[in-house]
Amino acid sequence: MPKKLPMRQCVGCREMRPKKELIRVVKSPEGAISLDFRGKLPGRGAYLCPDSVCLARARKSKALERAFETPVPPEVYDALERQLGAQDGAK
């Protein structure tokens, strides 16, 4: 029997995708918001497609703010944009 693939919903486009394909943004128990590339950090997670369109959509609709119930610092969005730029350059 094949192993079940964990699926998560992107907060930008609201599409269900395999967890490994998405970028996890995590709010730690202390309240700090950061990127989690291994998917192992403790705290509340929200997932984004590695696509600049999804990031722009999530930023405009304040999807991360709603998911974490707190304001998201601009540094987190900047880090996401840099990460997406690095992935686009690698393709």
Side-chain angles (χ1 to χ4, degrees):
M1 182 168 214
K3 195 172 181 180
K4 190 174 175 185
L5 220 76
M7 302 289 280
R8 297 292 183 268
Q9 188 176 49
C10 171
V11 295
C13 65
R14 313 287 293 164
E15 244 181 70
M16 294 295 286
R17 296 182 67 175
K19 184 178 171 182
K20 292 273 186 200
E21 292 180 11
L22 301 171
I23 298 172
R24 183 173 188 243
V25 183
V26 66
K27 178 184 172 190
S28 71
E30 295 81 34
I33 298 175
S34 61
L35 301 181
D36 179 16
F37 298 106
R38 294 181 330 143
K40 302 287 184 184
L41 291 177
R44 171 91 173 135
Y47 294 84
L48 267 171
C49 294
D51 181 14
S52 56
V53 174
C54 284
L55 176 60
R57 201 177 287 168
R59 193 174 200 167
K60 183 178 180 186
S61 68
K62 298 190 184 293
L64 288 175
E65 282 87 345
R66 280 197 313 276
F68 297 137
E69 298 176 345
T70 187
V72 176
E75 298 85 50
V76 173
Y77 286 113
D78 295 341
L80 278 166
E81 286 173 2
R82 280 195 304 276
Q83 177 66 25
L84 294 177
Q87 285 181 353
D88 289 342
K91 288 183 181 176

